[in-house]
Amino acid sequence: MRRVAVFGATGSIGASTLDVIARHPDRFRATALTANDKVDELVALCVRHRPDIAVVADASRYAALRDALAGAGLHTEARAGSEALVELAGSDACDTVVAAIVGAAGLPSTLAAARAGKRLLLANKEAIVVAGALLVEAVAANGAELLPIDSEHNAIFQCLPGPAIHGAARPGVRRIVLTASGGPFRGRTRAQLAEVSPDEACAHPKWRMGRKISVDSATLMNKGLEVIEAHWLFGAAADAIDVVVHPQSIVHSLVEYADGSMLAQLGNPDMRTALAYGLAWPDRIDAGVAPLDLAALARLDFEAPDRAAFPCLDLAYRALREGGGAATVLNAANEVAVSAFLQGRLGFLGIATVLAAALDALHGARADSLDALLALDAEARRVATTLLRSP
């Protein structure tokens, strides 16, 4: 019986994880659930799944969580604060951690899980983008299992030989190809993107996601972050990672081998497939996902991304090649810029402008410890916020 802690339980990844767990009560139990500040939603999940521990990241919401759990007649222990998240990730309350906290906020608990030797199902791409070297080193040094839950990286993992990922290059692999849906604005020119709204950017044609990641998909920054993630997960150089737009979102990614073979993982666009594979690996279990009907699909299309209309992709490649703290700067500036766009304070095209300026301003920055990374993250956010106020 795997004891699973779901970090970010009230989000879409959390919902999918809990759905898979509920389908296999003989194999999995959700022993801990966390949320940022959505106490009512977290308590509702606790009523259904009966975890031992519930944590709310916002320390000011502790009393509300404690009282709501008691009012529901639950014996679930209430905890609160960022330190409680870190403590939970490293504790014996769980042997498996689903890291689905959005943004850099998920980094400390993700590292704690790796250092405690957990099975780590990584849905938070920012953690490895910001601290790839630290995370991979922690996994290897402590015997943790790092299993990616992004559909693209999970697909690559399924197409690669060998054990759970430790960041090493695989023999015989020539190239990794990440597929991208193209987002809601595929086919639009740069000029046509000038006046798009946040609601338009969040209307993803294939995936149901939170607003931040939906905007990242619309700018192709999500794919750029995945390029950086693939570098750390699979030991692939920037020149050995390609991106191809595949609007049907059926082929989730591909691996090209030295002998000319190319292996792909296909499936309906449903995160439960990747989560079930990560939870049960190396076994395969029912995820509740409908099988593919290839005849009904009829065709699968592929095209090159429009890098002129969507420059965020190339900015991610730039950050990967620069190394040091560039990816940390990119991620932090992107979170600030996307938030400003969602609030109506920045145009869609301005996101890439802010990111490029932040990379220029902090070029050559380095960070080789968690404290240094968090300090650089804060500085990059300050710089990006200043850039938003610039004329």
Side-chain angles (χ1 to χ4, degrees), residues 10 55 58 61 69 156 162 200 247 259 265 276 280 298 333 348 373 380:
T10 58
V55 184
D58 184 347
R61 302 288 284 158
L69 289 170
I156 293 163
E200 288 177 293
D259 60 4
Q265 187 265 333
F348 184 80
L373 284 169

PDB file of all heavy atoms in Angstrom, residues 10 55 58 61 69 156 162 200 247 259 265 276 280 298 333 348 373 380:
ATOM      1  N   THR A  10      -6.044  20.731  -4.350  1.00  0.00           N
ATOM      2  CA  THR A  10      -7.255  21.378  -4.854  1.00  0.00           C
ATOM      3  C   THR A  10      -7.144  21.800  -6.313  1.00  0.00           C
ATOM      4  O   THR A  10      -8.113  22.303  -6.885  1.00  0.00           O
ATOM      5  CB  THR A  10      -7.608  22.609  -4.000  1.00  0.00           C
ATOM      6  OG1 THR A  10      -6.509  23.531  -4.014  1.00  0.00           O
ATOM      7  CG2 THR A  10      -7.911  22.210  -2.575  1.00  0.00           C
ATOM      8  N   VAL A  55      -2.743  20.169   5.222  1.00  0.00           N
ATOM      9  CA  VAL A  55      -1.886  21.338   5.414  1.00  0.00           C
ATOM     10  C   VAL A  55      -2.350  22.459   4.498  1.00  0.00           C
ATOM     11  O   VAL A  55      -2.570  22.240   3.297  1.00  0.00           O
ATOM     12  CB  VAL A  55      -0.410  21.011   5.105  1.00  0.00           C
ATOM     13  CG1 VAL A  55       0.476  22.228   5.412  1.00  0.00           C
ATOM     14  CG2 VAL A  55       0.058  19.798   5.894  1.00  0.00           C
ATOM     15  N   ASP A  58      -1.000  28.850   3.664  1.00  0.00           N
ATOM     16  CA  ASP A  58      -1.238  30.154   4.274  1.00  0.00           C
ATOM     17  C   ASP A  58      -1.438  29.968   5.775  1.00  0.00           C
ATOM     18  O   ASP A  58      -2.481  29.485   6.232  1.00  0.00           O
ATOM     19  CB  ASP A  58      -2.472  30.793   3.641  1.00  0.00           C
ATOM     20  CG  ASP A  58      -2.748  32.199   4.156  1.00  0.00           C
ATOM     21  OD1 ASP A  58      -2.143  32.594   5.174  1.00  0.00           O
ATOM     22  OD2 ASP A  58      -3.582  32.892   3.556  1.00  0.00           O
ATOM     23  N   ARG A  61      -4.579  30.752   7.838  1.00  0.00           N
ATOM     24  CA  ARG A  61      -5.796  29.970   7.650  1.00  0.00           C
ATOM     25  C   ARG A  61      -5.830  28.720   8.537  1.00  0.00           C
ATOM     26  O   ARG A  61      -6.697  27.866   8.388  1.00  0.00           O
ATOM     27  CB  ARG A  61      -5.923  29.566   6.179  1.00  0.00           C
ATOM     28  CG  ARG A  61      -5.950  30.727   5.199  1.00  0.00           C
ATOM     29  CD  ARG A  61      -7.272  31.457   5.294  1.00  0.00           C
ATOM     30  NE  ARG A  61      -8.326  30.713   4.635  1.00  0.00           N
ATOM     31  CZ  ARG A  61      -9.621  30.862   4.888  1.00  0.00           C
ATOM     32  NH1 ARG A  61     -10.005  31.722   5.829  1.00  0.00           N
ATOM     33  NH2 ARG A  61     -10.526  30.151   4.244  1.00  0.00           N
ATOM     34  N   LEU A  69     -12.279  21.061   9.903  1.00  0.00           N
ATOM     35  CA  LEU A  69     -12.067  19.613   9.999  1.00  0.00           C
ATOM     36  C   LEU A  69     -12.828  19.041  11.192  1.00  0.00           C
ATOM     37  O   LEU A  69     -13.477  17.987  11.087  1.00  0.00           O
ATOM     38  CB  LEU A  69     -10.570  19.308  10.123  1.00  0.00           C
ATOM     39  CG  LEU A  69      -9.720  19.535   8.872  1.00  0.00           C
ATOM     40  CD1 LEU A  69      -8.231  19.426   9.216  1.00  0.00           C
ATOM     41  CD2 LEU A  69     -10.085  18.533   7.776  1.00  0.00           C
ATOM     42  N   ILE A 156       8.127  10.679 -22.627  1.00  0.00           N
ATOM     43  CA  ILE A 156       9.544  10.412 -22.900  1.00  0.00           C
ATOM     44  C   ILE A 156      10.051   9.312 -21.975  1.00  0.00           C
ATOM     45  O   ILE A 156      10.747   8.385 -22.412  1.00  0.00           O
ATOM     46  CB  ILE A 156      10.370  11.697 -22.734  1.00  0.00           C
ATOM     47  CG1 ILE A 156       9.991  12.716 -23.814  1.00  0.00           C
ATOM     48  CG2 ILE A 156      11.863  11.404 -22.804  1.00  0.00           C
ATOM     49  CD1 ILE A 156      10.444  14.117 -23.507  1.00  0.00           C
ATOM     50  N   GLY A 162      15.590   1.726 -19.160  1.00  0.00           N
ATOM     51  CA  GLY A 162      16.268   1.926 -17.885  1.00  0.00           C
ATOM     52  C   GLY A 162      15.346   2.228 -16.728  1.00  0.00           C
ATOM     53  O   GLY A 162      14.124   2.237 -16.853  1.00  0.00           O
ATOM     54  N   GLU A 200      -9.250  34.768 -23.492  1.00  0.00           N
ATOM     55  CA  GLU A 200      -8.906  34.073 -24.731  1.00  0.00           C
ATOM     56  C   GLU A 200      -7.666  33.203 -24.531  1.00  0.00           C
ATOM     57  O   GLU A 200      -7.602  32.072 -25.020  1.00  0.00           O
ATOM     58  CB  GLU A 200      -8.649  35.086 -25.844  1.00  0.00           C
ATOM     59  CG  GLU A 200      -9.874  35.795 -26.373  1.00  0.00           C
ATOM     60  CD  GLU A 200      -9.515  36.834 -27.418  1.00  0.00           C
ATOM     61  OE1 GLU A 200      -8.860  37.837 -27.058  1.00  0.00           O
ATOM     62  OE2 GLU A 200      -9.865  36.632 -28.593  1.00  0.00           O
ATOM     63  N   PRO A 247      -1.416  19.570 -32.984  1.00  0.00           N
ATOM     64  CA  PRO A 247      -2.655  20.126 -32.434  1.00  0.00           C
ATOM     65  C   PRO A 247      -3.615  19.109 -31.843  1.00  0.00           C
ATOM     66  O   PRO A 247      -4.428  19.454 -30.973  1.00  0.00           O
ATOM     67  CB  PRO A 247      -3.283  20.852 -33.630  1.00  0.00           C
ATOM     68  CG  PRO A 247      -2.623  20.276 -34.840  1.00  0.00           C
ATOM     69  CD  PRO A 247      -1.249  19.896 -34.418  1.00  0.00           C
ATOM     70  N   ASP A 259      19.770   4.552 -34.224  1.00  0.00           N
ATOM     71  CA  ASP A 259      19.578   3.639 -35.355  1.00  0.00           C
ATOM     72  C   ASP A 259      18.486   4.104 -36.307  1.00  0.00           C
ATOM     73  O   ASP A 259      18.140   3.407 -37.264  1.00  0.00           O
ATOM     74  CB  ASP A 259      19.270   2.223 -34.860  1.00  0.00           C
ATOM     75  CG  ASP A 259      17.994   2.158 -34.015  1.00  0.00           C
ATOM     76  OD1 ASP A 259      17.305   3.185 -33.870  1.00  0.00           O
ATOM     77  OD2 ASP A 259      17.686   1.061 -33.511  1.00  0.00           O
ATOM     78  N   GLN A 265       4.748   7.930 -27.490  1.00  0.00           N
ATOM     79  CA  GLN A 265       3.693   7.497 -26.585  1.00  0.00           C
ATOM     80  C   GLN A 265       2.428   8.240 -26.975  1.00  0.00           C
ATOM     81  O   GLN A 265       2.418   9.461 -27.090  1.00  0.00           O
ATOM     82  CB  GLN A 265       4.060   7.781 -25.135  1.00  0.00           C
ATOM     83  CG  GLN A 265       3.086   7.203 -24.113  1.00  0.00           C
ATOM     84  CD  GLN A 265       2.030   8.195 -23.669  1.00  0.00           C
ATOM     85  OE1 GLN A 265       2.238   9.405 -23.690  1.00  0.00           O
ATOM     86  NE2 GLN A 265       0.875   7.696 -23.263  1.00  0.00           N
ATOM     87  N   ALA A 276      -1.280   7.698 -13.193  1.00  0.00           N
ATOM     88  CA  ALA A 276      -1.396   6.272 -12.893  1.00  0.00           C
ATOM     89  C   ALA A 276      -0.071   5.564 -13.143  1.00  0.00           C
ATOM     90  O   ALA A 276       0.335   4.688 -12.369  1.00  0.00           O
ATOM     91  CB  ALA A 276      -2.501   5.645 -13.745  1.00  0.00           C
ATOM     92  N   ALA A 280       1.947   3.772 -10.000  1.00  0.00           N
ATOM     93  CA  ALA A 280       2.067   2.314 -10.001  1.00  0.00           C
ATOM     94  C   ALA A 280       3.370   1.811 -10.603  1.00  0.00           C
ATOM     95  O   ALA A 280       3.633   0.612 -10.540  1.00  0.00           O
ATOM     96  CB  ALA A 280       0.893   1.705 -10.775  1.00  0.00           C
ATOM     97  N   ALA A 298      -8.245   9.385 -37.540  1.00  0.00           N
ATOM     98  CA  ALA A 298      -8.012   9.507 -38.987  1.00  0.00           C
ATOM     99  C   ALA A 298      -6.671  10.122 -39.349  1.00  0.00           C
ATOM    100  O   ALA A 298      -5.978   9.641 -40.235  1.00  0.00           O
ATOM    101  CB  ALA A 298      -9.146  10.284 -39.670  1.00  0.00           C
ATOM    102  N   ALA A 333      10.588  35.880 -13.630  1.00  0.00           N
ATOM    103  CA  ALA A 333      10.082  36.993 -14.425  1.00  0.00           C
ATOM    104  C   ALA A 333       8.790  36.595 -15.140  1.00  0.00           C
ATOM    105  O   ALA A 333       7.865  37.408 -15.285  1.00  0.00           O
ATOM    106  CB  ALA A 333      11.138  37.441 -15.433  1.00  0.00           C
ATOM    107  N   PHE A 348      -0.377  40.897 -24.022  1.00  0.00           N
ATOM    108  CA  PHE A 348       0.108  39.544 -24.265  1.00  0.00           C
ATOM    109  C   PHE A 348       1.537  39.548 -24.803  1.00  0.00           C
ATOM    110  O   PHE A 348       2.395  38.802 -24.329  1.00  0.00           O
ATOM    111  CB  PHE A 348      -0.836  38.841 -25.249  1.00  0.00           C
ATOM    112  CG  PHE A 348      -0.499  37.406 -25.516  1.00  0.00           C
ATOM    113  CD1 PHE A 348      -0.870  36.412 -24.619  1.00  0.00           C
ATOM    114  CD2 PHE A 348       0.189  37.034 -26.668  1.00  0.00           C
ATOM    115  CE1 PHE A 348      -0.563  35.080 -24.858  1.00  0.00           C
ATOM    116  CE2 PHE A 348       0.495  35.714 -26.915  1.00  0.00           C
ATOM    117  CZ  PHE A 348       0.120  34.720 -26.009  1.00  0.00           C
ATOM    118  N   LEU A 373      19.327  30.362  -4.682  1.00  0.00           N
ATOM    119  CA  LEU A 373      18.299  30.301  -5.721  1.00  0.00           C
ATOM    120  C   LEU A 373      17.072  31.116  -5.328  1.00  0.00           C
ATOM    121  O   LEU A 373      16.510  31.850  -6.152  1.00  0.00           O
ATOM    122  CB  LEU A 373      17.898  28.848  -5.971  1.00  0.00           C
ATOM    123  CG  LEU A 373      18.879  28.000  -6.772  1.00  0.00           C
ATOM    124  CD1 LEU A 373      18.480  26.534  -6.699  1.00  0.00           C
ATOM    125  CD2 LEU A 373      18.928  28.455  -8.221  1.00  0.00           C
ATOM    126  N   ALA A 380      14.884  38.530  -9.268  1.00  0.00           N
ATOM    127  CA  ALA A 380      14.312  38.529 -10.616  1.00  0.00           C
ATOM    128  C   ALA A 380      12.876  39.041 -10.598  1.00  0.00           C
ATOM    129  O   ALA A 380      12.447  39.750 -11.519  1.00  0.00           O
ATOM    130  CB  ALA A 380      14.362  37.116 -11.200  1.00  0.00           C
TER     131      ALA A 380
END
